[in-house]
Amino acid sequence: MTAQELIQVLLFFGVLICMTPLLGNYMYKVFSGEKHFMSYVLGWLEKLTYKFSGIQADEESNWKSYTFGLLLFNFIGFVFLFLMQRIQSFLPLNPAHLPNVSWQLSFNTAISFMTNTNWQSYAGETTLSYFVQMTGLAVQNFVSAASGIAVLLALVRGLSRKTTEKIGNFWTDLTRTTVYILLPLSVLFAIVLVGQGVVQNFKPYESIHTLSGAQQIIPMGPAASQIAIKQLGTNGGGFFNANSAHPFENPTPFSNFLEMLFLLLIPAALTYTYGKMVGSIRQGWTIFSVMLILLIAGLCISLYAEYSANPVFGHLRLMEGKETRFGIVNSVLWSTSTTAASNGSVNAMQDSLTPIAGMIAMINLMLGEIIFGGVGSGLYGMVVFIIITVFIAGLMVGRTPEYLGKKIEAFEVQMAIIAILLPNVVIQLFSAWASVSSFGLSGLNNAGPHGLSEILYAYSSAAGNNGSAFAGLNANTVFYNLTLGFGMLIGRFGVIIPVMAIAGSMGTKKTTPMSAGTFRTDNGLFIGLLIAVILIIGGLTHFPAISLGPLVEHLLMNAGMTF
Amino acid sequence: MSTKLNTGFFNKKILFQAAKESVIKLNPALQIKNPVIFIVAIGSVLTTIIVFSGIFRGSFSSFNLQIAVWLWFTVLFANFAEAVAEGRGKAQAESLRRNRTQTMARRIVGKQEVSVNATELKKGDIVRCRAGEVIPSDGEVIEGIASVDESAITGESAPVIRESGGDRSAVTGGTKVISDWILICITMETGNTFIDRMIALVEGAKRQKTPNEIALLMLLSGLTIIFLLVVVTLPAFFGYCLAASGLPMSQNLTIPVLIALLVCLIPTTIGGLLSAIGISGMDRLIQRNVIATSGRAIEAAGDVDVLLLDKTGTITLGNRMATDFIPVEGVKVEELANAAQLSSLSDETPEGRSIVILAKEKFNIRGREVHQLNATFIPFTAQSRMSGVDLKTDDNIIHRIRKGSSEAIRTFIQNNNGFYPQEIQDIVSELARQGATPLVVAEDNKVMGVIHLKDIVKGGIKHRFAELRKMGIKTIMITGDNPLTAAAIAAEAGVDDFMAEARPEDKLRRIRDEQAKGHLVGMIGDGTNDAPALAQADVGLAMNTGTQAAREAGNMVDLDSNPTKLIEVVEVGKQLLMTRGSLTTFSIANDVAKYFAIIPAIALSLYSGENGSGPLSALNIMNLASPQSAILSAVIFNAVIIVLLIPLALKGVRYKPVSASTALTRNLLIFGLGGIIAPFIGIKLIDILINL
């Protein structure tokens, strides 16, 4: 690793840390309904939305109707997106004359974008028209991200309020998030991207003659607008198949830097917002520290693996499938960030990482996408782990465990354990099924442990709502489209519903005032403790599978075998 | 009771009984109450079936047999832990039962006494008890006064006074009247009396899982399901790897190995010890002579962060003591002491006695016989509000010495045409400001001076409160004193807050206020008027000497009637929760080592090529001898650790009054870090042993 590369990594984290309180504070104002500078610019849009949809912005509801609103909204989004793909050929803005999408792929893609996963069993430029990409996928990119934030907001209100059933208004939260946070940031970001050379047009694909005389079709389209929200909303679904490895999606080192940064920006800033909303910014920074430490630890291990001497190719770095323009560091920094945050966009192929770096990416997914994680979902997933940690360790101070003054009792523990269990069910059961069934095995491009890694990665990605793929797996089959589709559904709502139940139950509780006898959740000791619980409970359950996949591959590679 | 039964954990009889019980507890209907251990039991059955079906097919596997045996031991050890904990309670219940013999009662019907069996008594019946008779059931004394031997429930042999009216009217069925007679109105029917409930509680028959225990069980069950998933899906991944390494499917993981892995991963340690911890918490309270009506109350005690403490008896010694004589100008201090001593010679109140003692200690004025002095003792009355003596000298002049409150003496002096100096007034108000009670002494028409009567704060109580503060518990002193006096004593004792001139309804209001702020409140009480507050408090500790109403309202009863006990109760509650948390942490941390023992063992052959040792043997960092011995060592460790931790589960983790952060750091180091390291050492040692 050169000094330049080190400086870039430091700059990346430096900017991320600096942006966290700035954006976090702004989001706090937006969510709490305070006046802020954007309310002068876009206030009309918020009001218009309420008026148009008949929303009573200040009318709050209990957790059940909040959840019902969210589920209904997401279901309608799914139906629209599904139908739109099925009748794509009759819709406008389809210069490449792409045909209707098959039912199983439409099902998979609709769920994928509705759940903020953006798993893509298809290649964008050869499957979906501009119209579907813009009015279908891009819209879901916004609202699935806003849905994640809405769940988080409900949870925060449950934690910070006392003895009330009211945890907010889903429609207001959805509107404010979209209008004041996602929309302005995306517009700004898209304009910068266009400046860097990302395409944004409705032109038909261009056919050109290359220097060697061959004919090549260059896909076009409104890419910049979609890439902005793809990164910001931790969606990750590329406009083109190659995602951000495509020069039209990610043309320059600067655009690369920004895209990496924007992928972590909102999840990171939300920790600060969280701290402010629960009344202790320290609590926010504590969570931020846990996420940052886990991210950097993963990054270091991955970089070490990538730069280690390789007995197969000698001492050369493995460049196959990496982002050759920006180098190993940028490939690994992206791969670690994109799997930590539940983004899933890529600028290099995860399949081509060294086994250990691939393992880190996989562990990031398997931990439940809580290292920054998806917008909103990463933080509420983290709170689930906090509840488990506080429950186990909190007993050790001799009191009924409490978090932010709220007692953690059987119901919360039950819900938290369900939220951890369900994504695990997806990963374990579906991967096991795929690894013994002929329709599962037929999708593999690689043999040996690497093939097992591909399967594990796919279901971990679905369960964690990440959406990145280990590539190498041909997932556009009925088996994979359906199992991955259901995996994404369970991974999303199997966490959201228990979390909402926790929010509702926490809200009705009294808040115990802090004292010297309180188990502190905002100091270094707790950071260490939380990391340990995440690794032992979240990670250790996957140890057998990981040792049969990437770990054994790494050991075999050191013995001179590759797959 | 406690004195008789405090015979330690490892009483042979209890252990033998527990060993028997642990087999009886294999009954599936009982076993299913503990889901973690139930899973182990199912695993044991399956493995046993596999061993036997193997024998019938002529392929005996000693490895499978050993796994089966150790799985059974795991279940038995868990049952044993529970049985040992229950055993101690059973022994206590037995001794209680011995005291509960069939008694006859004299029921009052009209004006006659009818002899009936105690079991036929109904609520509201009136019975008479004479000296030497056993009180048939719980009740309230409505007439008479008697000394009662309550050793059957308290273990204390000195008899106590029970009388109608006031705060000492409750009597307990099964206790014995020693002298005099009383009329009792029965408040409880047989079968539901205090002793009956105590028996049920210590036996654990009525033990219900506490809220926190339920939550923990939920977590443990969740973890069990997660690990069940891991183990169930493992053969699929393994089969894939076998195919990829070109090995036959017959080498796939066998069911005994999978069960062994499962049992090692699920939290059996805490699962096996959980109910023992809960029972022993109740037990530790009983050793301190406190009976909790539910396990929930003990847990709440750990959560309490506000304690309402009565000044008298808890913070101060029961009575005020004379600490100083302050004469007026012109009177020698010896003269004052002499007068004060004379006025108190026959005063049997603790204050009076303390004056005599002080006079003796300070001025060596010895006790004199009142009748030798030709003196008449004038007792304290509510009207005169003073006491003293009339001394008849040889020349038949009567000297009247009086001591009393400043107003009373002023009236006395003025009636005798004396002068009440301003100086006295100043001393009196100064003493009151310090939290003391001034007693003015006068002889005939002359004021002699003031006796400084002081509330004596109990030794070490200030330190105790400081400890409580460190643990995050706020102490509030309740007193009937005026605010000035109360503030002075509060400052001296180091309580955080006080309530002066407090009436029972003030207590109730204060509890509600604190609860509304999110606090959990603990309090002690004895009188009937304490009952509402006792019922409202999260932990209400009633004195056994108190009224029936108070004992009913509280959720704990202190048989020693020692008000300081509340602090100990809080400590027991905290210790109980700490033990649970520590052993859970230990149990979960153990998994790391078990993975490193079992995964390399089962995956040894994968991708192995010729030499038979595959790449995953690199994970065998403990260098265990063979795959079989690695799995077996992990299973044995898993079983043995339960037995090794039984004493800890019963005694509770060491408890010190420190802040939450300090307690956490300490327990994390021991049980978290220790939980990761210990099994590495343990499994390695067992591996060496079984390969000897």
Side-chain angles (χ1 to χ4, degrees):
Chain A
M1 206 162 135
T2 63
Q4 261 171 314
E5 286 169 331
L6 185 68
I7 289 170
Q8 198 221 308
V9 172
L10 292 178
L11 184 69
F12 174 77
F13 286 114
V15 174
L16 183 69
I17 292 168
C18 292
M19 294 287 280
T20 294
L22 292 178
L23 181 61
N25 197 35
Y26 168 70
M27 288 197 288
Y28 169 75
K29 284 185 182 166
V30 171
F31 298 144
S32 51
E34 279 180 32
K35 276 251 178 290
H36 48 85
F37 69 94
M38 283 310 278
S39 39
Y40 300 104
V41 187
L42 287 168
W44 60 272
L45 185 56
E46 186 193 356
K47 286 194 196 84
L48 191 73
T49 313
Y50 294 153
K51 210 169 171 189
F52 186 72
S53 2
I55 297 167
Q56 299 295 320
D58 296 324
E59 214 165 78
E60 302 207 336
S61 60
N62 64 15
W63 78 268
K64 282 178 188 153
S65 28
Y66 195 102
T67 315
F68 179 73
L70 177 119
L71 294 180
L72 183 73
F73 179 75
N74 278 306
F75 179 70
I76 293 170
F78 162 77
V79 171
F80 260 91
L81 195 50
F82 178 77
L83 292 179
M84 206 183 277
Q85 294 175 80
R86 297 290 288 141
I87 55 166
Q88 156 173 272
S89 63
F90 314 115
L91 297 172
L93 286 177
N94 187 2
H97 304 292
L98 297 167
N100 292 336
V101 185
S102 74
W103 68 270
Q104 29 107 351
L105 181 57
S106 304
F107 169 81
N108 182 284
T109 308
I111 285 183
S112 171
F113 279 75
M114 182 259 289
T115 55
N116 195 251
T117 312
N118 295 29
W119 170 271
Q120 293 167 297
S121 289
Y122 62 93
E125 58 269 45
T126 57
T127 315
L128 296 178
S129 70
Y130 296 163
F131 184 84
V132 174
Q133 294 247 27
M134 281 182 75
T135 59
L137 302 189
V139 166
Q140 286 301 321
N141 277 353
F142 278 97
V143 294
S144 68
S147 298
I149 289 182
V151 173
L152 176 70
L153 291 177
L155 179 62
V156 176
R157 293 196 192 103
L159 287 171
S160 57
R161 290 180 179 179
K162 288 175 210 174
T163 54
T164 172
E165 293 213 316
K166 303 266 184 266
I167 52 166
N169 181 328
F170 170 70
W171 309 104
T172 312
D173 290 339
L174 186 74
T175 311
R176 284 190 184 145
T177 307
T178 313
V179 169
Y180 294 122
I181 294 163
L182 298 176
L183 203 59
L185 277 173
S186 299
V187 170
L188 196 74
F189 188 30
I191 291 170
V192 176
L193 286 177
V194 169
Q196 291 297 306
V198 177
V199 295
Q200 177 77 6
N201 57 38
F202 291 117
K203 285 187 199 158
Y205 297 172
E206 283 185 16
S207 180
I208 57 157
H209 292 280
T210 60
L211 289 175
S212 55
Q215 184 147 11
Q216 191 179 356
I217 293 175
I218 306 282
M220 291 284 152
S225 57
Q226 198 159 330
I227 289 157
I229 186 65
K230 157 191 121 181
Q231 296 303 96
L232 269 172
T234 58
N235 295 288
F239 192 83
F240 304 114
N241 188 32
N243 210 309
S244 283
H246 194 293
F248 280 178
E249 282 205 21
N250 186 13
T252 65
F254 184 57
S255 72
N256 188 63
F257 183 85
L258 283 185
E259 284 181 24
M260 284 196 297
L261 185 68
F262 273 54
L263 155 179
L264 289 175
L265 187 60
I266 294 182
L270 275 174
T271 59
Y272 186 89
T273 315
Y274 176 86
K276 237 180 141 167
M277 287 181 84
V278 300
S280 157
I281 293 170
R282 261 181 84 101
Q283 298 282 356
W285 282 119
T286 306
I287 296 177
F288 181 88
S289 310
V290 170
M291 293 173 164
L292 193 68
I293 290 169
L294 285 169
L295 178 69
I296 291 180
L299 180 70
C300 290
I301 296 172
S302 299
L303 282 173
Y304 178 77
E306 291 293 335
Y307 278 99
S308 288
N310 181 309
V312 182
F313 297 115
H315 290 260
L316 285 174
R317 283 176 267 159
L318 293 165
M319 285 310 288
E320 187 267 332
K322 303 282 159 53
E323 174 50 88
T324 44
R325 294 171 299 159
F326 308 133
I328 290 268
V329 167
N330 273 307
S331 303
V332 173
L333 181 56
W334 188 304
S335 81
T336 316
S337 308
T338 199
T339 47
S342 127
N343 187 291
S345 66
V346 288
N347 71 352
M349 292 302 117
Q350 313 286 72
D351 203 22
S352 302
L353 296 169
T354 53
I356 292 294
M359 177 181 86
I360 292 295
M362 202 184 294
I363 290 174
N364 282 341
L365 305 178
M366 286 169 165
L367 292 180
E369 289 299 358
I370 49 162
I371 309 172
F372 294 106
V375 284
S377 63
L379 194 46
Y380 65 67
M382 184 59 100
V383 173
V384 167
F385 269 103
I386 289 176
I387 286 175
I388 297 289
T389 307
V390 166
F391 183 76
I392 296 172
L395 278 175
M396 280 195 284
V397 308
R399 255 165 70 161
T400 296
E402 61 200 41
Y403 178 55
L404 303 173
K406 301 280 191 174
K407 293 230 177 298
I408 295 179
E409 290 161 301
F411 183 75
E412 290 77 38
V413 172
Q414 192 180 12
M415 289 301 130
I417 206 86
I418 288 176
I420 291 176
L421 178 66
L422 285 179
N424 270 313
V425 172
V426 171
I427 300 176
Q428 303 278 354
L429 283 186
F430 284 161
S431 302
W433 188 12
S435 60
V436 291
S437 61
S438 56
F439 19 85
L441 294 172
S442 66
L444 294 181
N445 284 344
N446 296 77
H450 199 77
L452 187 61
S453 298
E454 286 170 0
I455 294 174
L456 274 172
Y457 193 100
Y459 289 103
S460 305
S461 177
N465 293 137
N466 180 284
S468 68
F470 225 38
L473 180 74
N474 174 23
N476 192 9
T477 65
V478 179
F479 174 79
Y480 278 111
N481 275 333
L482 291 188
T483 51
L484 288 168
F486 284 114
M488 289 185 276
L489 268 185
I490 297 169
R492 178 78 166 176
F493 298 105
V495 181
I496 283 184
I497 295 172
V499 164
M500 289 299 302
I502 291 173
S505 132
M506 287 292 203
T508 56
K509 293 186 187 213
K510 286 193 278 194
T511 304
T512 313
M514 276 269 285
S515 73
T518 310
F519 173 73
R520 291 190 72 99
T521 53
D522 59 354
N523 56 14
L525 188 62
F526 185 71
I527 293 178
L529 202 57
L530 182 54
I531 291 176
V533 169
I534 290 171
L535 291 181
I536 291 182
I537 291 185
L540 219 52
T541 45
H542 299 289
F543 187 67
I546 284 176
S547 33
L548 297 178
L551 201 55
V552 78
E553 189 189 350
H554 168 77
L555 295 167
L556 286 170
M557 182 184 80
N558 282 348
M561 259 171 98
T562 55
F563 296 91
Chain B
M1 179 182 71
S2 64
T3 41
K4 276 179 285 178
L5 290 160
N6 242 345
T7 43
F9 304 112
F10 297 114
N11 174 316
K12 263 191 196 137
K13 201 179 147 206
I14 291 178
L15 288 188
F16 182 71
Q17 186 65 29
K20 234 168 58 185
E21 280 283 316
S22 49
V23 180
I24 296 169
K25 279 173 186 282
L26 286 176
N27 177 356
L30 298 173
Q31 206 74 59
I32 200 155
K33 286 183 188 161
N34 188 338
V36 181
I37 300 301
F38 186 63
I39 294 274
V40 184
I42 292 176
S44 318
V45 172
L46 273 180
T47 319
T48 312
I49 292 173
I50 288 167
V51 170
F52 281 101
S53 70
I55 292 174
F56 285 127
R57 276 186 277 118
S59 63
F60 170 72
S61 155
S62 88
F63 171 70
N64 286 354
L65 177 68
Q66 290 181 66
I67 296 229
V69 168
W70 282 104
L71 291 183
W72 280 117
F73 271 126
T74 312
V75 180
L76 288 175
F77 289 164
N79 289 349
F80 181 70
E82 192 179 88
V84 171
E86 283 173 352
R88 308 183 60 210
K90 285 221 173 87
Q92 274 155 337
E94 232 157 75
S95 100
L96 281 173
R97 273 213 189 86
R98 252 179 270 132
N99 287 307
R100 202 187 51 168
T101 43
Q102 277 297 325
T103 46
M104 297 302 283
R106 301 163 194 275
R107 188 154 61 130
I108 309 279
V109 182
K111 285 193 172 170
Q112 293 194 321
E113 280 178 18
V114 183
S115 189
V116 294
N117 206 313
T119 50
E120 291 166 23
L121 289 173
K122 298 263 177 309
K123 238 186 214 178
D125 283 353
I126 297 184
V127 296
R128 188 193 299 277
C129 276
R130 300 210 171 92
E133 290 177 350
V134 173
I135 295 171
S137 190
D138 291 3
E140 196 90 37
V141 180
I142 50 170
E143 200 187 318
I145 175 167
S147 55
V148 177
D149 173 11
E150 294 198 335
S151 60
I153 52 167
T154 61
E156 178 61 55
S157 52
V160 292
I161 301 292
R162 291 288 180 241
E163 58 186 330
S164 61
D167 286 347
R168 286 165 176 264
S169 60
V171 287
T172 310
T175 57
K176 201 172 179 183
V177 178
I178 304 258
S179 70
D180 306 295
W181 60 269
I182 40 177
L183 274 188
I184 302 163
C185 176
I186 300 296
T187 53
M188 277 296 163
E189 281 160 41
T190 329
N192 197 25
T193 62
F194 190 64
I195 286 199
D196 290 322
R197 277 178 294 154
M198 255 175 83
I199 292 172
L201 282 166
V202 294
E203 257 189 336
K206 275 197 180 163
R207 205 180 91 83
Q208 283 179 334
K209 290 200 171 80
T210 59
N212 178 266
E213 210 175 336
I214 293 170
L216 187 53
L217 212 53
M218 209 72 87
L219 176 80
L220 299 181
S221 309
L223 290 178
T224 305
I225 297 172
I226 291 178
F227 287 119
L228 194 61
L229 261 175
V230 171
V231 173
V232 165
T233 53
L234 199 54
F237 299 134
F238 207 76
Y240 175 94
C241 295
L242 286 174
S245 347
L247 294 166
M249 278 301 150
S250 58
Q251 285 197 15
N252 209 329
L253 302 170
T254 61
I255 290 176
V257 168
L258 287 173
I259 291 173
L261 176 62
L262 176 66
V263 169
C264 285
L265 294 182
I266 61 178
T268 47
T269 315
I270 179 66
L273 295 171
L274 192 56
S275 52
I277 296 171
I279 296 167
S280 68
M282 187 81 90
D283 214 51
R284 278 199 295 279
L285 271 191
I286 292 171
Q287 284 171 43
R288 287 170 171 80
N289 254 357
V290 175
I291 304 289
T293 53
S294 70
R296 184 187 285 261
I298 306 178
E299 257 171 30
D303 286 346
V304 158
D305 54 357
V306 172
L307 290 184
L308 295 194
L309 301 167
D310 273 327
K311 183 198 81 178
T312 310
T314 314
I315 295 168
T316 60
L317 294 170
N319 310 294
R320 298 184 172 101
M321 307 257 273
T323 55
D324 205 4
F325 298 114
I326 307 162
V328 286
E329 223 180 303
V331 176
K332 282 197 191 127
V333 69
E334 288 85 359
E335 288 171 12
L336 170 62
N338 192 37
Q341 193 245 21
L342 281 171
S343 73
S344 308
L345 274 176
S346 292
D347 184 352
E348 279 305 313
T349 63
E351 287 90 354
R353 264 178 282 163
S354 79
I355 293 169
V356 176
I357 291 167
L358 183 71
K360 185 182 165 192
E361 278 176 355
K362 257 192 152 169
F363 305 104
N364 207 21
I365 302 171
R366 308 198 61 85
R368 293 160 280 194
E369 284 298 320
V370 181
H371 54 86
Q372 284 175 354
L373 291 167
N374 229 341
T376 325
F377 180 59
I378 313 291
F380 179 87
T381 63
Q383 286 78 38
S384 69
R385 288 196 297 151
M386 47 185 193
S387 64
V389 283
D390 286 352
L391 293 177
K392 206 196 270 174
T393 52
D394 299 336
D395 41 359
N396 256 346
I397 300 169
I398 296 175
H399 286 292
R400 290 187 288 183
I401 303 174
R402 295 288 183 273
K403 67 174 198 291
S405 73
S406 97
E407 286 81 54
I409 297 295
R410 187 206 292 265
T411 321
F412 173 77
I413 293 282
Q414 282 161 358
N415 288 348
N416 289 339
N417 303 318
F419 168 66
Y420 193 81
Q422 178 60 35
E423 189 194 351
I424 285 290
Q425 203 55 53
D426 293 345
I427 298 171
V428 163
S429 20
E430 169 61 22
L431 287 180
R433 211 173 45 75
Q434 289 172 11
T437 310
L439 274 188
V440 183
V441 182
E443 188 170 349
D444 300 326
N445 59 355
K446 187 178 160 206
V447 179
M448 306 284 289
V450 182
I451 306 170
H452 184 173
L453 275 185
K454 203 179 162 192
D455 258 322
I456 302 295
V457 171
K458 278 188 179 174
I461 199 84
K462 190 165 187 173
H463 177 65
R464 206 77 189 261
F465 290 147
E467 286 179 353
L468 286 173
R469 198 168 306 117
K470 244 190 264 167
M471 288 152 57
I473 296 172
K474 188 165 100 174
T475 44
I476 301 175
M477 182 182 85
I478 311 281
T479 171
D481 291 344
N482 65 58
L484 218 61
T485 312
I489 296 167
E492 191 182 344
V495 291
D496 297 304
D497 198 359
F498 66 88
M499 280 176 75
E501 290 169 354
R503 293 157 303 162
E505 56 268 32
D506 296 332
K507 276 195 211 177
L508 182 63
R509 208 190 48 235
R510 180 67 185 251
I511 293 175
R512 289 213 172 113
D513 287 352
E514 295 289 346
Q515 286 174 335
K517 282 187 236 156
H519 292 289
L520 267 87
V521 184
M523 74 161 279
I524 42 172
D526 52 4
T528 301
N529 50 19
D530 280 336
L534 278 171
Q536 178 70 33
D538 299 283
V539 173
L541 181 61
M543 303 286 104
N544 188 46
T545 54
T547 59
Q548 191 66 24
R551 292 201 317 199
E552 288 294 314
N555 44 18
M556 291 189 193
V557 177
D558 177 21
L559 301 175
D560 296 342
S561 304
N562 168 10
T564 332
K565 204 60 92 50
L566 187 54
I567 299 171
E568 283 177 46
V569 169
V570 169
E571 290 177 353
V572 169
K574 284 200 177 296
Q575 199 188 22
L576 170 74
L577 293 173
M578 275 185 188
T579 309
R580 238 180 237 157
S582 300
L583 290 181
T584 307
T585 308
F586 185 83
S587 192
I588 293 171
N590 271 201
D591 278 3
V592 179
K594 292 174 191 164
Y595 268 122
F596 278 98
I598 296 182
I599 297 292
I602 60 177
L604 182 73
S605 63
L606 294 177
Y607 306 105
S608 56
E610 262 103 71
N611 63 1
S613 170
L616 279 174
S617 52
L619 292 180
N620 185 5
I621 53 177
M622 281 180 273
N623 203 13
L624 302 176
S626 69
Q628 276 85 2
S629 81
I631 295 170
L632 210 51
S633 304
V635 174
I636 294 175
F637 176 83
N638 199 48
V640 170
I641 195 73
I642 296 179
V643 176
L644 293 182
L645 289 174
I646 290 178
L648 184 70
L650 295 188
K651 268 190 243 159
V653 299
R654 207 154 60 99
Y655 173 81
K656 270 186 181 171
V658 287
S659 73
S661 299
T662 320
L664 180 66
T665 316
R666 188 178 158 273
N667 287 333
L668 262 185
L669 274 180
I670 299 175
F671 298 99
L673 203 59
I676 292 179
I677 296 166
F680 277 105
I681 300 168
I683 292 173
K684 179 68 190 169
L685 282 179
I686 295 170
D687 181 68
I688 293 171
L689 275 177
I690 57 180
N691 283 297
L692 277 179

